[in-house]
Amino acid sequence: NTPLAAQTLAAALRQYLPDWQLLEIHAGDINLQLSADYDFNKKAASLKGVINGQDIAGSNDKLLFDGVTLNSDIDYRFAEQQLMIQRDKQQLKIANLFIGIPIQALQLDARINGMDIIVDHFKARLLGGRVEFDDLQLTAPSQTAIKLSALSLSEVIKYSAYPEIDAQGIIDGLLPLSLTEQGPAIKNGIISARYPGYIKVPENTVVKAMGKDNPAFAFAMQVLTNLQFDALQGMLDYAADGESSLKVEMKGINPNLSRTRAVIFNYSHNENILQLLKSLRFNEQLSKQLEERY
């Protein structure tokens, strides 16, 4: 019943858990209550445990987190070669998490269900909007659908490979997620703009140089200097190794070119999301800002 400093516990376990070598805990307390009984005559057992963690903060390979609260409450009975789950509640909350992009107000409600972890509900604030899903078993194979609601296009661009682009719009999406032996994958995910918006690509020296000997590219960039779109929709695929493919179609006008001529702009982009997130985590200027905040 005595609180244990999370920093002390992490330091003690680090030598036994190779994956924890880069884990640094700066604050937080953990309480543990555990009881186990075994009846030799009836060959029956029971296991009860309660774990509570409060205000945990730290980092792991430039991944930053604070305001972590975890609660675990289990009551298992084993008799006649059967496991009976009397109580199984797991909850994780993280106030702030930085994995390359910032995530806030993360909450995960789950159950261990013997040996398999099942996420009953996940929700978080992401890129100005929300992300959530239900009923995902963390043992492959399993499936769920990730719902994206009201993501800010400007925030998406901010953490993309082209942060200098000025954009505005509200994005929703539905991403079918499959958990395979190789890892998570998304096939035929759908994204769309809820409201009209715009995309403005600055005419810098790099863009001008690339378009000098490529008229088609130059015209495309001219259209994107001020594309006022009233429709945006796309398809997203993601492979377990991090490789992603995005295909987007935008419809609108560029008032700088014509206020009546409709523009249809198709865009395809391939990116390794895992490498992009890693590069964002190791962005020195961004890391300093986040470390001050966290």
Side-chain angles (χ1 to χ4, degrees), residues 53-65:
Q54 300 288 335
D55 299 323
I56 300 172
S59 63
N60 184 22
D61 195 25
K62 295 292 184 178
L63 183 153
L64 309 174
F65 53 88

Side-chain angles (χ1 to χ4, degrees), residues 143-183:
Q143 298 84 32
T144 189
I146 300 174
K147 182 181 180 181
L148 305 177
S149 303
L151 270 62
S152 167
L153 181 58
S154 63
E155 286 294 303
V156 174
I157 295 294
K158 178 180 177 181
Y159 293 97
S160 73
Y162 310 101
E164 67 277 4
I165 295 176
D166 181 19
Q168 183 173 318
I170 303 296
I171 304 297
D172 298 319
L174 189 65
L175 311 178
L177 174 68
S178 297
L179 189 61
T180 68
E181 295 292 345
Q182 292 73 35

Side-chain angles (χ1 to χ4, degrees), residues 199 201 216-217 219-221 223-224 227 229 231-235 246-252 262-270:
I199 291 180
V201 177
F217 177 83
F219 178 75
M221 290 301 100
V223 169
L224 290 178
L227 178 58
F229 64 81
L232 181 155
Q233 57 187 8
M235 301 289 292
L246 176 65
K247 296 180 180 179
V248 175
E249 180 182 83
M250 292 176 284
K251 298 179 181 179
V263 173
I264 299 177
F265 187 86
N266 293 299
Y267 173 73
S268 297
H269 182 73
N270 295 306

Side-chain angles (χ1 to χ4, degrees), residues 91-273:
Q91 186 180 78
L92 172 68
K93 293 182 178 181
I94 305 178
N96 297 291
L97 172 64
F98 178 73
I99 62 172
I101 57 176
I103 301 173
Q104 296 90 27
L106 183 154
Q107 179 174 324
L108 184 152
D109 295 293
R111 48 198 162 94
I112 299 177
N113 194 29
M115 295 299 293
D116 294 325
I117 299 177
I118 299 174
V119 178
D120 293 316
H121 185 64
F122 174 96
K123 63 180 181 181
R125 292 206 304 266
L126 172 71
L127 299 174
R130 294 177 61 84
V131 56
E132 57 186 319
F133 62 82
D134 297 314
D135 301 324
L136 177 65
Q137 181 175 301
L138 297 187
T139 303
S142 61
Q143 298 84 32
T144 189
I146 300 174
K147 182 181 180 181
L148 305 177
S149 303
L151 270 62
S152 167
L153 181 58
S154 63
E155 286 294 303
V156 174
I157 295 294
K158 178 180 177 181
Y159 293 97
S160 73
Y162 310 101
E164 67 277 4
I165 295 176
D166 181 19
Q168 183 173 318
I170 303 296
I171 304 297
D172 298 319
L174 189 65
L175 311 178
L177 174 68
S178 297
L179 189 61
T180 68
E181 295 292 345
Q182 292 73 35
I186 295 171
K187 187 68 175 177
N188 296 329
I190 300 173
I191 61 170
S192 60
R194 185 185 302 182
Y195 303 118
Y198 67 79
I199 291 180
K200 299 179 180 180
V201 177
E203 294 185 274
N204 56 32
T205 54
V206 175
V207 171
K208 291 179 179 179
M210 292 177 65
K212 186 176 181 180
D213 299 318
N214 190 334
F217 177 83
F219 178 75
M221 290 301 100
Q222 191 177 20
V223 169
L224 290 178
T225 56
N226 185 14
L227 178 58
Q228 309 285 323
F229 64 81
D230 51 27
L232 181 155
Q233 57 187 8
M235 301 289 292
L236 173 68
D237 291 335
Y238 175 85
D241 61 1
E243 291 295 329
S244 67
S245 173
L246 176 65
K247 296 180 180 179
V248 175
E249 180 182 83
M250 292 176 284
K251 298 179 181 179
I253 63 170
N254 183 332
N256 297 351
L257 302 178
S258 172
R259 293 187 174 275
T260 58
R261 182 182 177 184
V263 173
I264 299 177
F265 187 86
N266 293 299
Y267 173 73
S268 297
H269 182 73
N270 295 306
E271 183 88 49
N272 188 295
I273 299 298

